[in-house]
Amino acid sequence: MALAFDEYGRPFIILKEQEQKTRLRGIEAQKANISAGKAVARILQTSLGPKGMDKMLQSPDGDVTITNDGATILEQMDVDNQIAKLMVELSRSQDYEIGDGTTGVVVMAGALLEQAERLLERGIHPIRIAEGYEMASRIAVEHLEHIAQKFDFGPTNVEPLVQTCMTTLSSKIVNRCKRPLAEISVKAVLSVADLERKDVNLDLIKVEGKVGGKLEDTELIYGITVDKDMSHPQMPKQIQDAKIAILTCPFEPPKPKTKHKVDIDTVEKFQTLRQQEQKYFDDMVQKCKDVGATLVICQWGFDDEANHLLMHRNLPAVRWVGGVELELIAIATGGRIVPRFQELTPEKLGRAGLVREKSFGTTKDKMLYIEHCANSRAVTIFIRGGNKMMIEETKRSIHDALCVARNLIRNNSIVYGGGSAEISCSIAVEAAADKYPGVEQYAIRAFADALDSVPMALAENSGLQPIETLSAVKSQQIEENNPHFGIDCNDVGTNDDMREQNVFETLIGKQQQILLATQVVKMILKIDDVISPSDY
């Protein structure tokens, strides 16, 4: 075993004859597990906060992703170690439940593991450390309730929601446009939210992107966009007060399920067959016209003859529309998806105030906008950007902002960001440690030190002196008894009050971070035997 140091002077262990060392037991297993967890946290630590760096991830087939979203980084990393996979699961569960704070929760877990390693070296049993962490997490969560503030907002006063979404977007690559993107996110959430039940169905918000234009061209569409165009270039490009037939049956003659053979040996037989096929198409188009449809959206394709007939009968049509898009169109327009032409009735038609085809740039890429729908609860955020990577990262950033707005509608309590909540919790946990007479008080103090890792990482990533900055803010909080002082990441000046800088985070998001990190660390501490398949 040899000890080496990285560029920051942090030690890491090199094991010789790695293939022969399969089974780890006791303290060695715990230290190896902690080391794996810390390694994952260290990767994400530099991407925390508004000045955090981005990671470039290359997949085995050469696709490149540039992001600083913790969940995405861990999702796309090829992780073999089982403990490291637990950290990946940790960030994924934070992403599923809250949608934001995926980097912070892993950094927090890494700091808890680092503190636990020191306690193990002092001879404290891992179960006692786990119990101490559990007590400390309860103290921290209760303290967050104590320092949280209610944020009042409504359909007319959305500024609090916008400010909170801006805090989320400030750490992303899209932070230069954070105000317009935050406003778009809030409008989208409010248009699909049920404020009485405090419920938001994010499935009704479709996020689409197209390369070209600039980020500022991103728009919110009160309806649905479909990446298709009219099936015939001479069909009308704009339809007012459209009545839409949504079909999952193709415009073609029925095919027999059995094997069949048709012998055509005369011109008359061929003409008869052609007329029969044309009659099928005629009947199908006529059925759509009879029920009053002015636009047909079909899941399947149709051949040139059907296309020609539709154009001549003045019935615009769109083909090859995906199943998910069909469902969203049906929700938005209040229509029903029809599987057979025989079932088509006027009541099953969807209604939209305007359907228009829009072309983009010099490439003349076309998209269909279905707007002013009967049920406008389905909306689309349409992103523009210089390249595919920019659009994908903007989608991830907007997803975080949508989740934050949804969380505020569910529970409108907020805490202040910039590490102020963690520093305040650290002070409260440190003060509470003296009340516990057992060995657990060491773990509680270690938990308080681990809470300081988030503001310290924020300061480090912002180019500040981490220890000096943290000490100054901590003493300021204690002196003035004000939990709103945090790390001035944006270098506004001497103004460390996060309330004045409008840096907020949701209470449930911050509580979830602490609870999830503690749960995973407790699980890792309780593993004392690592058995590989070769040991069976």
Side-chain angles (χ1 to χ4, degrees), residues 50-51 151 159-160 162-164 166-168 170 178-179 414-420 458 462 464 469 473 476 482 484-505:
K51 305 285 186 189
F151 240 39
E159 189 59 26
V162 173
Q163 292 289 353
T164 318
M166 280 169 66
T167 304
T168 301
S170 64
K178 61 183 178 182
R179 175 87 206 186
I414 56 117
V415 290
Y416 289 90
S420 61
L458 284 173
S462 304
L464 306 168
T469 310
V473 172
Q476 202 176 357
N482 183 349
H484 306 143
F485 288 115
I487 307 297
D488 187 12
C489 296
N490 293 323
D491 204 19
V492 177
T494 53
N495 174 17
D496 288 336
D497 194 331
M498 294 296 120
R499 191 165 40 177
E500 290 177 30
Q501 285 195 26
N502 286 327
V503 180
F504 323 124
E505 292 183 62

Side-chain angles (χ1 to χ4, degrees), residues 35-46:
S35 175
K38 279 162 56 182
V40 174
R42 207 175 289 142
I43 290 167
L44 290 195
Q45 199 163 334
T46 53

Side-chain angles (χ1 to χ4, degrees), residues 210-358:
K210 207 164 190 65
V211 173
K214 53 188 187 291
L215 199 57
E216 287 83 350
D217 296 336
T218 299
E219 58 180 329
L220 176 67
I221 298 155
Y222 290 96
I224 301 293
T225 60
V226 183
D227 197 1
K228 300 286 173 192
D229 55 354
M230 294 296 180
S231 61
H232 197 288
Q234 291 177 6
M235 284 177 179
K237 307 294 180 214
Q238 193 160 317
I239 304 160
Q240 298 281 352
D241 296 322
K243 293 177 182 174
I244 306 168
I246 306 163
L247 305 175
T248 55
C249 43
F251 272 94
E252 59 183 31
K255 291 184 174 68
K257 287 189 171 59
T258 55
K259 285 187 178 178
H260 63 284
K261 184 181 175 188
V262 180
D263 288 325
I264 299 173
D265 49 11
T266 63
V267 176
E268 288 77 20
K269 282 184 182 176
F270 180 76
Q271 289 289 358
T272 309
L273 184 68
R274 187 178 168 281
Q275 284 167 7
Q276 190 67 35
E277 279 200 2
Q278 195 166 354
K279 187 176 182 303
Y280 268 118
F281 291 138
D282 265 333
D283 290 347
M284 288 169 180
V285 175
Q286 196 56 47
K287 277 192 182 100
C288 296
K289 294 285 279 184
D290 288 346
V291 294
T294 56
L295 173 66
V296 173
I297 294 179
C298 187
Q299 188 175 11
W300 305 105
F302 31 85
D303 59 21
D304 291 343
E305 191 165 355
N307 208 8
H308 177 77
L309 261 172
L310 285 162
M311 199 272 292
H312 269 277
R313 294 286 191 87
N314 294 323
L315 185 58
V318 185
R319 55 186 165 185
W320 299 119
V321 179
V324 176
E325 289 167 323
L326 274 185
E327 285 179 22
L328 278 170
I329 292 166
I331 291 168
T333 60
R336 297 279 295 278
I337 295 172
V338 180
R340 281 191 294 273
F341 284 98
Q342 290 81 359
E343 295 178 17
L344 201 55
T345 61
E347 299 80 47
K348 291 181 180 177
L349 297 179
R351 283 166 174 73
L354 176 65
V355 177
R356 61 193 170 101
E357 188 181 280
K358 189 174 178 183

